Amino acid sequence: MTEDAGLRTDWSDAMGLRVPIVNAPMGGVAGGRLAVAVAAAGGLGMIGMGSAGSVEALERELAAAALERELPALERELMGNAAAPAPGPIGIGLVDWVAAARPGLLDLALAAKPALLSVSFGTDLSWAARAHAAGIRTATQVYTVEDARRARDAGIDVLVARGLEGGGHGAPELATLPLLEAVLDAVPGPVLAAGGIGSARGVAAMLAAGAAGVWLGTAVAAAEESLLAPGGRRALLAAQGTDTIVTRVFDVGMELPWPQRFPARVLRNDFTARWHDRIDELSAAATSEPEPAATARADRAAAARAQLAAANAADDPRIAPVDAGQGVGLVTAVRPVAEILGELCSGVARA
């Protein structure tokens, strides 16, 4: 992708990017291959460690990124300057409670010296001081002006204003544009826009509103280079923007300790249809009470959790969760990420 001066922002220049686009560090989607592909296209590629993040998983994706970087280097060596430019920087994104529960994960992320370290979904921002001591820039997602002020007070370098349209976990407080405007008015420094951005018009609108860049998730989730499983990929391509729901049903069903403030926007499926309005029943634990009704509730919940675990293992999106934002209807084909970003950027240039 060629550099377009019309897409440059002060923040993207400071980060050494050719375009002000960052891929969201989506767990199970944004691996090393996707991060390097985004970086090669001129943006900031992010490796994501989600609910299943671990030291071993991050080591694997860092190794994958290193391998992906070797390929264009060999191409440049063989073809000279006619080959694509070297991939730019990549970052790492962690989930606060996952990093706290898995010793060594934050240490490994810091040791990798990413261009940007993002830790979100928590209230303890002390990790930012460790990152700064290591010379690493920091980011976190915010959902309200109060979140933004706390993050700025903690010295976070760039805020990600994530609106309720976004896929995956987040606090459904405000839509992206009102949130972006409120945060820009309230705190100094760069702010990235996230949530429901899937077209050149969307990118242009956020940059025109003052965003230092955009943070894209669903728009690149089905890219050739993503880790998304085939069943989830097919479900994304078939979905419309009205096919999503904000729910805690999968976190409860998988017994994941996500804070209640952060439900997930996912594709509607058979599991959400059955259990979204019955979360209390789904969370019912085994009981020694002699009451038959209590025992029956616990048995139904256990069966549902077992069904969900089997669907996750089988990549069955009829039951298993598929994160998706409201821009999912714009995702219609599996394409290389360079093509996706190139189309977005060329469209912005024409806007």
Side-chain angles (χ1 to χ4, degrees):
M1 180 188 301
T2 59
E3 181 178 307
D4 190 303
L7 284 177
R8 291 171 54 184
T9 66
D10 290 344
W11 178 79
S12 65
D13 283 350
M15 292 296 296
L17 309 178
R18 301 197 304 279
V19 294
I21 295 177
V22 185
N23 75 270
M26 302 165 283
V29 175
R33 188 179 174 212
L34 180 67
V36 172
V38 170
L44 175 58
M46 297 286 287
I47 293 174
M49 292 286 109
S51 304
S54 65
V55 170
E56 295 76 18
L58 182 53
E59 287 176 337
R60 182 175 64 248
E61 295 311 323
L62 288 170
L67 179 60
E68 287 294 314
R69 284 182 176 278
E70 290 178 8
L71 299 177
L74 291 171
E75 183 182 348
R76 287 192 302 278
E77 183 177 337
L78 292 172
M79 299 179 62
N81 292 332
I90 66 170
I92 295 172
L94 306 179
V95 172
D96 176 84
W97 64 264
V98 175
R102 291 168 176 119
L105 184 56
L106 178 59
D107 292 336
L108 177 59
L110 293 170
K113 297 289 185 182
L116 186 72
L117 176 63
S118 171
V119 181
S120 296
F121 313 113
T123 56
D124 181 2
L125 300 174
S126 60
W127 59 270
R130 292 186 60 191
H132 289 151
I136 299 168
R137 292 182 173 98
T138 56
T140 196
Q141 293 186 36
V142 299
Y143 310 92
T144 66
V145 166
E146 290 73 23
D147 291 341
R149 288 181 174 139
R150 282 193 295 269
R152 278 285 185 254
D153 289 345
I156 302 293
D157 296 297
V158 60
L159 307 184
V160 181
R162 190 272 195 188
L164 57 82
E165 303 97 320
H169 290 88
E173 303 279 359
L174 286 170
T176 302
L177 187 55
L179 175 62
L180 173 66
E181 293 171 328
V183 171
L184 287 170
D185 286 343
V187 298
V191 180
L192 307 182
I197 306 167
S199 69
R201 291 184 295 276
V203 174
M206 296 304 159
L207 296 179
V214 294
W215 178 275
L216 302 181
T218 305
V220 297
E224 284 183 2
E225 298 89 348
S226 87
L227 294 173
L228 190 62
R233 200 181 299 263
R234 289 192 298 270
L236 277 186
L237 298 181
Q240 299 299 314
T242 52
D243 292 338
T244 69
I245 186 172
V246 176
T247 185
R248 294 182 56 246
V249 70
F250 292 111
D251 296 333
V252 172
M254 291 186 285
E255 299 178 287
L256 297 172
W258 275 95
Q260 289 195 21
R261 187 190 180 197
F262 304 116
R265 185 177 291 280
V266 297
L267 293 181
R268 298 176 186 271
N269 63 12
D270 293 347
F271 200 80
T272 63
R274 181 174 183 185
W275 292 104
H276 175 67
D277 294 323
R278 299 165 61 194
I279 285 182
D280 288 345
E281 183 177 345
L282 182 62
S283 61
T287 178
S288 58
E289 295 180 15
E291 174 60 45
T295 301
R297 284 195 299 271
D299 289 347
R300 285 195 297 271
R305 291 193 292 269
Q307 180 190 37
L308 180 56
N312 284 328
D315 182 27
D316 183 356
R318 294 172 300 178
I319 300 295
V322 179
D323 290 350
Q326 290 184 321
V328 68
L330 299 170
V331 180
T332 58
V334 176
R335 298 189 291 165
V337 77
E339 184 178 317
I340 297 169
L341 267 59
E343 182 178 283
L344 290 175
C345 293
S346 62
V348 172
R350 292 192 301 269

